[in-house]
Amino acid sequence: MTIQFLKMHGLGNDFVVIDARNRPVPLTATQVVAIGDRRRGVGFDQLILIEPPQDTAADIFMRILNPDGSEAGACGNATRCVASLVGRGLVRDELVIQTISGLLRCWLHADGTVTVDMGPARLDWQQIPVAEACDTLHLPASAGPLSDGVAVNMGNPHAVHFVPDAEDVDLTRWGPELERHPFFPDRANIEVASVTGPSSVRMRVWERGAGITDACGSGACAVGVAAIRRGLVTGRRVCVTLDGGVLDIEWREDGHVLMTGPVATSFAGTLGADLLGGEAL
Ligand SMILES: N[C@H](CCC[C@H](N)C(=O)O)C(=O)O
């Protein structure tokens, strides 16, 4: 069986997207890692499987896999891409995507951008999760210049660290140390952020199971929430600038976080048998 895929990205955060709605695609962790190899495989920040919904309120189920084979509970940039892919075929300009973390409502705009309701920001220490009771606005875990983080769960765990200049942090050095810090029993996505204006923040990210990426939608949501919680920006809308571009984040009064940004399709392809290790699928 050959497997077709689309290569898509949101601000350079890139995805292999496989439509498994008509036929299950049971990939092993070994196969996921092989597909994610930037030289011998296709390469991706996340591999996305579009599956039939399990909840009647949803149009599809979206499974999210990291290059290390681990499964993630949220992927904002991929959610926009999948919404655009599936929603453009539908009559409505909105759809509901189910993930292991909950239901995400998406709105497609005429200019090609997509807004996703990423759900509520979870802020309690047990929701992140972290290893012990703490004020999630001031985390006790640190690594090098990264300390006094803010924890936010957007369906996946994030630790946001405000620094004088986000571009001046050796994230390759300190990101993996914090990602795997024992304070984060499920590991964590690690963000560094610096405030650049009354409602604007510059951020960079070390993603759990993936490393540095050009953008992280759930991470941008976490940064927006953290900046508002810390009183570093005015209002509840934040313009977040990532390495790959800009996302518009709004933390609504009801606790839900809206993320708006672009999507892009790079190419279509077919996964070869060698890449799948000759294992029957
Ligand atoms: N790139 C994704 C985040 C992936 C998160 C994943 N690395 C995890 O293990 O949580 C985004 O746009 O939100």
Side-chain angles (χ1 to χ4, degrees):
M1 174 180 89
T2 60
I3 299 178
Q4 310 297 317
F5 69 87
L6 276 182
K7 189 72 174 19
M8 304 184 79
H9 71 87
L11 302 179
N13 186 204
D14 67 325
F15 314 108
V16 165
V17 181
I18 297 170
D19 191 339
R21 285 179 287 180
N22 299 324
R23 182 181 54 177
V25 178
L27 295 172
T28 66
T30 302
Q31 290 171 321
V32 171
V33 171
I35 297 165
D37 187 299
R38 293 283 184 187
R39 291 186 185 279
R40 296 170 183 244
V42 181
F44 58 74
D45 289 335
Q46 277 80 40
L47 185 149
I48 304 297
L49 289 168
I50 302 174
E51 299 175 349
Q54 297 151 20
D55 186 318
T56 54
D59 293 288
I60 58 165
F61 183 94
M62 181 177 78
R63 192 169 305 281
I64 307 158
L65 299 165
N66 284 316
D68 69 355
S70 62
E71 184 164 4
C75 185
N77 287 315
T79 304
R80 296 198 315 277
C81 289
V82 168
S84 176
L85 187 64
V86 174
R88 295 289 177 210
L90 301 178
V91 175
R92 297 166 298 160
D93 60 2
E94 67 180 83
L95 71 159
V96 175
I97 296 178
Q98 181 185 2
T99 69
I100 58 173
S101 301
L103 300 179
L104 309 176
R105 185 165 293 277
C106 311
W107 294 267
L108 311 182
H109 305 302
D111 65 359
T113 60
V114 178
T115 296
V116 180
D117 176 350
M118 291 291 289
R122 294 88 159 176
L123 305 175
D124 181 81
W125 69 275
Q126 291 157 309
Q127 294 175 303
I128 303 304
V130 292
E132 61 194 51
C134 75
D135 174 2
T136 57
L137 203 48
H138 295 283
L139 300 178
S142 64
L146 304 187
S147 61
D148 191 30
V150 181
V152 181
N153 183 293
M154 289 306 308
N156 57 352
H158 296 268
V160 179
H161 302 79
F162 290 101
V163 295
D165 182 353
E167 299 189 11
D168 196 26
V169 175
D170 184 356
L171 206 46
T172 305
R173 167 77 179 84
W174 303 114
E177 185 169 323
L178 265 183
E179 173 198 354
R180 298 180 175 280
H181 192 290
F183 189 66
F184 302 114
D186 294 350
R187 299 187 290 164
N189 297 282
I190 306 301
E191 287 85 13
V192 292
S194 37
V195 178
T196 53
S199 298
S200 59
V201 178
R202 171 77 168 96
M203 71 164 274
R204 293 174 57 228
V205 62
W206 173 274
E207 283 198 17
R208 177 180 61 171
I212 290 179
T213 63
D214 280 356
C216 180
S218 54
C221 294
V223 166
V225 168
I228 295 166
R229 288 193 73 201
R230 279 278 183 86
L232 300 175
V233 292
T234 57
R236 298 183 72 89
R237 280 190 74 164
V238 185
C239 173
V240 179
T241 300
L242 304 103
D243 290 350
V246 179
L247 289 175
D248 178 350
I249 306 299
E250 178 184 358
W251 187 21
R252 286 191 326 209
E253 297 288 352
D254 67 357
H256 282 228
V257 185
L258 301 187
M259 168 201 61
T260 302
V263 303
T265 299
S266 303
F267 58 87
T270 304
L271 298 179
D274 290 345
L275 188 54
L276 298 173
E279 293 176 40
L281 276 178

